[in-house]
Short mmCIF file of all heavy atoms in Angstrom, two decimals:
data_model
loop_
_atom_site.label_atom_id
_atom_site.label_comp_id
_atom_site.label_asym_id
_atom_site.label_seq_id
_atom_site.Cartn_x
_atom_site.Cartn_y
_atom_site.Cartn_z
N MET B 287 -16.38 13.37 1.54
CA MET B 287 -15.93 12.14 2.30
C MET B 287 -15.51 11.04 1.32
O MET B 287 -16.33 10.58 0.52
CB MET B 287 -17.06 11.68 3.17
CG MET B 287 -16.71 10.44 3.97
SD MET B 287 -18.11 9.97 5.09
CE MET B 287 -17.44 8.45 5.73
N ASN B 288 -14.26 10.73 1.32
CA ASN B 288 -13.81 9.71 0.41
C ASN B 288 -13.59 8.37 1.05
O ASN B 288 -13.04 8.32 2.25
CB ASN B 288 -12.59 10.13 -0.33
CG ASN B 288 -11.53 10.77 0.61
OD1 ASN B 288 -11.88 10.99 1.74
ND2 ASN B 288 -10.45 11.02 0.10
N GLU B 289 -13.88 7.37 0.40
CA GLU B 289 -13.82 6.04 0.90
C GLU B 289 -12.47 5.47 0.42
O GLU B 289 -12.15 5.52 -0.76
CB GLU B 289 -14.97 5.21 0.46
CG GLU B 289 -14.99 3.84 1.08
CD GLU B 289 -16.26 3.11 0.62
OE1 GLU B 289 -16.84 3.54 -0.41
OE2 GLU B 289 -16.68 2.12 1.26
N THR B 290 -11.74 4.87 1.29
CA THR B 290 -10.49 4.25 0.95
C THR B 290 -10.69 2.74 0.76
O THR B 290 -11.17 2.13 1.70
CB THR B 290 -9.37 4.54 1.95
OG1 THR B 290 -9.27 5.94 2.06
CG2 THR B 290 -8.10 4.00 1.54
N ARG B 291 -10.16 2.24 -0.24
CA ARG B 291 -10.31 0.76 -0.45
C ARG B 291 -8.93 0.19 -0.88
O ARG B 291 -8.08 0.89 -1.47
CB ARG B 291 -11.24 0.38 -1.56
CG ARG B 291 -12.68 0.60 -1.02
CD ARG B 291 -13.73 0.13 -2.08
NE ARG B 291 -15.07 0.27 -1.57
CZ ARG B 291 -15.66 -0.67 -0.78
NH1 ARG B 291 -15.02 -1.74 -0.52
NH2 ARG B 291 -16.91 -0.46 -0.36
N CYS B 292 -8.66 -0.98 -0.42
CA CYS B 292 -7.40 -1.65 -0.72
C CYS B 292 -7.35 -1.89 -2.20
O CYS B 292 -8.27 -2.45 -2.84
CB CYS B 292 -7.37 -2.96 0.06
SG CYS B 292 -5.93 -3.95 -0.40
N PRO B 293 -6.30 -1.54 -2.85
CA PRO B 293 -6.11 -1.74 -4.32
C PRO B 293 -5.84 -3.17 -4.62
O PRO B 293 -5.97 -3.63 -5.78
CB PRO B 293 -4.91 -0.82 -4.77
CG PRO B 293 -4.13 -0.74 -3.48
CD PRO B 293 -5.13 -0.73 -2.33
N VAL B 294 -5.57 -3.91 -3.62
CA VAL B 294 -5.20 -5.40 -3.90
C VAL B 294 -6.51 -6.19 -3.90
O VAL B 294 -6.75 -6.97 -4.76
CB VAL B 294 -4.31 -5.91 -2.83
CG1 VAL B 294 -4.01 -7.38 -3.03
CG2 VAL B 294 -2.97 -5.09 -2.86
N CYS B 295 -7.37 -6.08 -2.81
CA CYS B 295 -8.52 -6.94 -2.69
C CYS B 295 -9.81 -6.17 -2.70
O CYS B 295 -10.87 -6.72 -2.80
CB CYS B 295 -8.44 -7.72 -1.42
SG CYS B 295 -8.37 -6.70 0.03
N GLY B 296 -9.74 -4.79 -2.66
CA GLY B 296 -10.99 -4.03 -2.76
C GLY B 296 -11.73 -3.90 -1.46
O GLY B 296 -12.81 -3.27 -1.43
N GLU B 297 -11.20 -4.39 -0.41
CA GLU B 297 -11.87 -4.28 0.90
C GLU B 297 -11.59 -2.90 1.46
O GLU B 297 -10.62 -2.22 1.12
CB GLU B 297 -11.29 -5.31 1.88
CG GLU B 297 -11.68 -6.74 1.52
CD GLU B 297 -13.18 -6.89 1.67
OE1 GLU B 297 -13.80 -6.43 2.60
OE2 GLU B 297 -13.77 -7.65 0.76
N PRO B 298 -12.46 -2.44 2.37
CA PRO B 298 -12.16 -1.16 3.02
C PRO B 298 -10.84 -1.13 3.74
O PRO B 298 -10.41 -2.12 4.35
CB PRO B 298 -13.33 -0.99 4.03
CG PRO B 298 -14.48 -1.85 3.47
CD PRO B 298 -13.69 -2.99 2.78
N ALA B 299 -10.19 -0.04 3.66
CA ALA B 299 -8.86 0.05 4.25
C ALA B 299 -8.72 1.46 4.85
O ALA B 299 -9.54 2.30 4.62
CB ALA B 299 -7.78 -0.17 3.24
N GLU B 300 -7.65 1.63 5.74
CA GLU B 300 -7.43 2.87 6.25
C GLU B 300 -6.12 3.47 5.78
O GLU B 300 -5.20 2.68 5.46
CB GLU B 300 -7.51 2.87 7.81
CG GLU B 300 -6.43 1.98 8.43
CD GLU B 300 -6.57 2.01 9.96
OE1 GLU B 300 -5.91 2.89 10.56
OE2 GLU B 300 -7.26 1.20 10.53
N ILE B 301 -5.94 4.74 5.94
CA ILE B 301 -4.63 5.36 5.52
C ILE B 301 -3.91 5.79 6.78
O ILE B 301 -4.44 6.38 7.67
CB ILE B 301 -4.91 6.63 4.66
CG1 ILE B 301 -5.64 6.22 3.35
CG2 ILE B 301 -3.60 7.34 4.38
CD1 ILE B 301 -5.99 7.43 2.50
N ARG B 302 -2.65 5.39 6.78
CA ARG B 302 -1.79 5.73 7.93
C ARG B 302 -0.52 6.44 7.39
O ARG B 302 0.00 6.11 6.31
CB ARG B 302 -1.28 4.46 8.67
CG ARG B 302 -2.52 3.81 9.47
CD ARG B 302 -1.93 2.62 10.18
NE ARG B 302 -3.00 1.83 10.72
CZ ARG B 302 -2.94 0.58 11.08
NH1 ARG B 302 -1.74 -0.01 11.00
NH2 ARG B 302 -3.98 -0.14 11.58
N GLN B 303 -0.11 7.41 8.21
CA GLN B 303 1.16 8.05 7.82
C GLN B 303 2.31 7.30 8.44
O GLN B 303 2.30 7.09 9.65
CB GLN B 303 1.14 9.47 8.36
CG GLN B 303 -0.05 10.34 7.91
CD GLN B 303 -0.08 10.62 6.46
OE1 GLN B 303 1.02 10.77 5.86
NE2 GLN B 303 -1.17 10.63 5.79
N ILE B 304 3.18 6.81 7.66
CA ILE B 304 4.31 6.03 8.17
C ILE B 304 5.65 6.63 7.71
O ILE B 304 5.66 7.43 6.92
CB ILE B 304 4.17 4.54 7.71
CG1 ILE B 304 4.23 4.52 6.16
CG2 ILE B 304 2.84 3.89 8.23
CD1 ILE B 304 5.42 3.70 5.65
N ALA B 305 6.68 6.11 8.36
CA ALA B 305 8.04 6.50 7.97
C ALA B 305 8.73 5.25 7.42
O ALA B 305 8.55 4.14 7.90
CB ALA B 305 8.81 7.06 9.14
N LYS B 306 9.47 5.53 6.38
CA LYS B 306 10.11 4.37 5.67
C LYS B 306 11.63 4.73 5.43
O LYS B 306 11.88 5.85 5.02
CB LYS B 306 9.41 4.07 4.36
CG LYS B 306 9.74 2.75 3.87
CD LYS B 306 8.80 1.69 4.44
CE LYS B 306 8.94 0.32 3.76
NZ LYS B 306 8.09 -0.76 4.37
N ALA B 307 12.46 3.83 5.54
CA ALA B 307 13.90 4.02 5.27
C ALA B 307 14.33 3.34 4.03
O ALA B 307 13.94 2.14 3.80
CB ALA B 307 14.74 3.50 6.45
N PHE B 308 14.99 4.03 3.13
CA PHE B 308 15.51 3.44 1.93
C PHE B 308 17.00 3.46 1.92
O PHE B 308 17.61 4.37 2.44
CB PHE B 308 14.98 4.24 0.67
CG PHE B 308 13.45 4.28 0.57
CD1 PHE B 308 12.70 5.30 1.15
CD2 PHE B 308 12.79 3.26 -0.13
CE1 PHE B 308 11.29 5.29 1.08
CE2 PHE B 308 11.41 3.31 -0.20
CZ PHE B 308 10.74 4.33 0.36
N GLY B 309 17.56 2.51 1.31
CA GLY B 309 19.09 2.42 1.22
C GLY B 309 19.69 2.03 2.49
O GLY B 309 19.02 1.44 3.45
N ARG B 310 20.96 2.25 2.62
CA ARG B 310 21.65 1.84 3.87
C ARG B 310 22.97 2.69 4.06
O ARG B 310 23.39 3.29 3.09
CB ARG B 310 21.99 0.35 3.79
CG ARG B 310 22.96 0.03 2.67
CD ARG B 310 23.37 -1.43 2.72
NE ARG B 310 22.21 -2.38 2.53
CZ ARG B 310 22.28 -3.67 2.62
NH1 ARG B 310 23.39 -4.24 2.84
NH2 ARG B 310 21.21 -4.39 2.39
N GLY B 311 23.43 2.69 5.22
CA GLY B 311 24.68 3.38 5.53
C GLY B 311 24.56 4.82 5.20
O GLY B 311 23.58 5.49 5.54
N ASN B 312 25.57 5.39 4.53
CA ASN B 312 25.61 6.76 4.17
C ASN B 312 24.48 7.19 3.23
O ASN B 312 24.25 8.30 2.98
CB ASN B 312 26.96 7.20 3.61
CG ASN B 312 28.02 7.16 4.71
OD1 ASN B 312 27.78 7.32 5.90
ND2 ASN B 312 29.26 6.95 4.28
N ASP B 313 23.99 6.20 2.52
CA ASP B 313 23.00 6.48 1.50
C ASP B 313 21.54 6.35 2.07
O ASP B 313 20.57 6.31 1.35
CB ASP B 313 23.10 5.49 0.31
CG ASP B 313 24.40 5.82 -0.45
OD1 ASP B 313 24.76 6.99 -0.56
OD2 ASP B 313 24.99 4.81 -0.94
N LEU B 314 21.52 6.14 3.35
CA LEU B 314 20.18 5.96 4.05
C LEU B 314 19.34 7.18 3.86
O LEU B 314 19.74 8.29 4.15
CB LEU B 314 20.44 5.59 5.45
CG LEU B 314 19.06 5.23 6.22
CD1 LEU B 314 18.57 3.97 5.70
CD2 LEU B 314 19.41 5.09 7.68
N LEU B 315 18.14 6.99 3.38
CA LEU B 315 17.17 8.08 3.21
C LEU B 315 15.95 7.74 3.89
O LEU B 315 15.35 6.67 3.68
CB LEU B 315 16.94 8.24 1.73
CG LEU B 315 15.85 9.28 1.43
CD1 LEU B 315 16.30 10.66 1.82
CD2 LEU B 315 15.58 9.22 -0.10
N VAL B 316 15.55 8.54 4.80
CA VAL B 316 14.33 8.22 5.59
C VAL B 316 13.19 9.25 5.13
O VAL B 316 13.42 10.48 5.11
CB VAL B 316 14.47 8.47 7.11
CG1 VAL B 316 13.20 8.21 7.87
CG2 VAL B 316 15.61 7.45 7.60
N ILE B 317 12.15 8.70 4.67
CA ILE B 317 11.00 9.50 4.30
C ILE B 317 9.86 9.32 5.25
O ILE B 317 9.46 8.18 5.60
CB ILE B 317 10.61 9.10 2.89
CG1 ILE B 317 11.71 9.25 1.88
CG2 ILE B 317 9.29 9.87 2.51
CD1 ILE B 317 11.36 8.80 0.42
N GLU B 318 9.42 10.44 5.82
CA GLU B 318 8.38 10.39 6.81
C GLU B 318 7.06 10.79 6.20
O GLU B 318 6.99 11.43 5.20
CB GLU B 318 8.75 11.36 7.95
CG GLU B 318 10.03 10.91 8.65
CD GLU B 318 10.33 11.80 9.85
OE1 GLU B 318 9.92 13.01 9.83
OE2 GLU B 318 11.02 11.35 10.78
N ASP B 319 6.09 10.48 6.96
CA ASP B 319 4.71 10.76 6.55
C ASP B 319 4.32 10.31 5.19
O ASP B 319 3.76 11.09 4.39
CB ASP B 319 4.43 12.31 6.67
CG ASP B 319 4.68 12.79 8.08
OD1 ASP B 319 4.40 12.06 8.96
OD2 ASP B 319 5.12 13.96 8.27
N ILE B 320 4.63 9.10 4.91
CA ILE B 320 4.19 8.49 3.64
C ILE B 320 2.77 7.99 3.86
O ILE B 320 2.54 7.19 4.82
CB ILE B 320 5.15 7.31 3.18
CG1 ILE B 320 6.52 7.78 3.10
CG2 ILE B 320 4.58 6.69 1.95
CD1 ILE B 320 7.53 6.65 2.87
N PRO B 321 1.87 8.44 3.07
CA PRO B 321 0.48 7.93 3.17
C PRO B 321 0.44 6.47 2.62
O PRO B 321 0.80 6.22 1.51
CB PRO B 321 -0.34 8.87 2.29
CG PRO B 321 0.61 9.46 1.37
CD PRO B 321 1.97 9.47 1.97
N MET B 322 0.05 5.58 3.45
CA MET B 322 0.00 4.20 3.07
C MET B 322 -1.34 3.59 3.32
O MET B 322 -1.94 3.81 4.43
CB MET B 322 1.05 3.38 3.92
CG MET B 322 1.02 1.92 3.61
SD MET B 322 2.28 1.02 4.55
CE MET B 322 3.58 0.88 3.39
N ILE B 323 -1.84 2.89 2.36
CA ILE B 323 -3.08 2.11 2.55
C ILE B 323 -2.79 0.86 3.40
O ILE B 323 -1.92 0.08 3.03
CB ILE B 323 -3.72 1.76 1.30
CG1 ILE B 323 -4.10 3.03 0.47
CG2 ILE B 323 -4.92 0.93 1.51
CD1 ILE B 323 -4.53 2.73 -0.96
N VAL B 324 -3.47 0.76 4.55
CA VAL B 324 -3.33 -0.49 5.31
C VAL B 324 -4.66 -1.19 5.23
O VAL B 324 -5.64 -0.73 5.77
CB VAL B 324 -2.88 -0.14 6.71
CG1 VAL B 324 -2.79 -1.44 7.48
CG2 VAL B 324 -1.61 0.62 6.73
N CYS B 325 -4.66 -2.32 4.64
CA CYS B 325 -5.92 -3.06 4.50
C CYS B 325 -6.18 -3.96 5.77
O CYS B 325 -5.25 -4.43 6.39
CB CYS B 325 -5.71 -4.00 3.27
SG CYS B 325 -6.99 -5.13 2.98
N ARG B 326 -7.42 -4.14 6.08
CA ARG B 326 -7.74 -4.93 7.27
C ARG B 326 -7.32 -6.40 7.06
O ARG B 326 -7.24 -7.13 8.07
CB ARG B 326 -9.16 -4.82 7.56
CG ARG B 326 -10.09 -5.45 6.52
CD ARG B 326 -11.54 -5.25 6.85
NE ARG B 326 -12.42 -5.84 5.86
CZ ARG B 326 -13.66 -5.75 5.89
NH1 ARG B 326 -14.34 -5.13 6.95
NH2 ARG B 326 -14.50 -6.30 4.99
N THR B 327 -7.10 -6.82 5.91
CA THR B 327 -6.71 -8.20 5.68
C THR B 327 -5.13 -8.32 5.67
O THR B 327 -4.67 -9.42 5.51
CB THR B 327 -7.20 -8.75 4.35
OG1 THR B 327 -6.69 -8.02 3.29
CG2 THR B 327 -8.74 -8.73 4.33
N GLY B 328 -4.53 -7.27 5.84
CA GLY B 328 -3.06 -7.31 6.03
C GLY B 328 -2.25 -6.76 4.84
O GLY B 328 -1.08 -6.68 4.88
N HIS B 329 -2.93 -6.46 3.78
CA HIS B 329 -2.23 -5.84 2.63
C HIS B 329 -1.66 -4.50 3.00
O HIS B 329 -2.34 -3.74 3.68
CB HIS B 329 -3.10 -5.78 1.39
CG HIS B 329 -3.64 -7.07 0.95
ND1 HIS B 329 -4.96 -7.23 0.65
CD2 HIS B 329 -3.06 -8.25 0.75
CE1 HIS B 329 -5.13 -8.48 0.28
NE2 HIS B 329 -3.97 -9.10 0.35
N GLU B 330 -0.54 -4.15 2.46
CA GLU B 330 -0.11 -2.79 2.54
C GLU B 330 0.30 -2.30 1.20
O GLU B 330 0.89 -2.95 0.45
CB GLU B 330 1.19 -2.73 3.48
CG GLU B 330 0.87 -2.97 4.92
CD GLU B 330 2.12 -2.75 5.76
OE1 GLU B 330 3.19 -2.64 5.19
OE2 GLU B 330 2.01 -2.75 7.00
N GLN B 331 -0.02 -1.02 0.96
CA GLN B 331 0.21 -0.50 -0.42
C GLN B 331 0.42 0.98 -0.37
O GLN B 331 -0.37 1.73 0.29
CB GLN B 331 -1.02 -0.79 -1.26
CG GLN B 331 -0.80 -0.51 -2.72
CD GLN B 331 -0.09 -1.66 -3.43
OE1 GLN B 331 -0.34 -2.78 -3.09
NE2 GLN B 331 0.69 -1.33 -4.46
N TYR B 332 1.52 1.38 -0.96
CA TYR B 332 1.74 2.85 -1.04
C TYR B 332 0.64 3.49 -1.89
O TYR B 332 0.24 2.90 -2.86
CB TYR B 332 3.07 3.19 -1.60
CG TYR B 332 4.23 2.82 -0.71
CD1 TYR B 332 5.25 2.01 -1.20
CD2 TYR B 332 4.32 3.29 0.57
CE1 TYR B 332 6.33 1.65 -0.41
CE2 TYR B 332 5.42 2.96 1.33
CZ TYR B 332 6.41 2.15 0.85
OH TYR B 332 7.42 1.78 1.62
N ILE B 333 0.31 4.69 -1.53
CA ILE B 333 -0.65 5.35 -2.39
C ILE B 333 0.18 6.06 -3.49
O ILE B 333 -0.18 5.99 -4.69
CB ILE B 333 -1.40 6.50 -1.64
CG1 ILE B 333 -2.31 5.80 -0.59
CG2 ILE B 333 -2.19 7.34 -2.54
CD1 ILE B 333 -3.01 6.78 0.35
N ALA B 334 1.18 6.80 -3.23
CA ALA B 334 1.76 7.62 -4.24
C ALA B 334 3.32 7.65 -3.98
O ALA B 334 3.94 8.71 -3.99
CB ALA B 334 1.29 9.03 -4.24
N ALA B 335 3.94 6.51 -3.85
CA ALA B 335 5.39 6.50 -3.65
C ALA B 335 5.99 5.44 -4.53
O ALA B 335 5.35 4.38 -4.73
CB ALA B 335 5.69 6.21 -2.18
N GLU B 336 7.10 5.71 -5.05
CA GLU B 336 7.84 4.72 -5.86
C GLU B 336 8.56 3.85 -4.89
O GLU B 336 8.92 4.20 -3.78
CB GLU B 336 8.77 5.39 -6.75
CG GLU B 336 8.15 6.31 -7.75
CD GLU B 336 9.28 6.95 -8.65
OE1 GLU B 336 10.23 6.31 -8.90
OE2 GLU B 336 9.02 8.14 -8.97
N ARG B 337 8.76 2.63 -5.30
CA ARG B 337 9.50 1.64 -4.48
C ARG B 337 11.01 1.86 -4.65
O ARG B 337 11.47 1.90 -5.71
CB ARG B 337 9.15 0.21 -4.88
CG ARG B 337 7.75 -0.05 -4.55
CD ARG B 337 7.64 -1.11 -3.52
NE ARG B 337 7.36 -2.42 -4.18
CZ ARG B 337 7.36 -3.54 -3.52
NH1 ARG B 337 7.66 -3.53 -2.26
NH2 ARG B 337 7.02 -4.66 -4.15
ZN1 ZN S 1648 -6.36 -5.92 0.77
#
């Protein structure tokens, strides 16, 4: 059982699978199921994705 904490403030956070779109037009790339840390204080942080 692993505990997830926000890398920004260290508070407990949850992981959600989200979809994110990068680029625009013909270069639009949609990546689904990105594991994202969602902090209860409102921070959002990717776990293992480049920006
Ligand atoms: Zn936080």
Side-chain angles (χ1 to χ4, degrees):
M287 179 175 176
N288 45 353
E289 186 178 20
T290 301
R291 287 184 176 275
C292 175
V294 179
C295 65
E297 292 294 320
E300 64 178 271
I301 297 176
R302 292 182 191 161
Q303 306 291 326
I304 60 121
K306 199 83 174 178
F308 298 92
R310 62 176 62 183
N312 290 333
D313 294 324
L314 186 65
L315 175 64
V316 179
I317 300 178
E318 296 182 334
D319 297 331
I320 302 172
M322 175 181 264
I323 296 173
V324 180
C325 173
R326 65 181 180 183
T327 64
H329 299 132
E330 288 186 348
Q331 190 82 31
Y332 292 125
I333 294 177
E336 299 178 33
R337 290 245 260 175

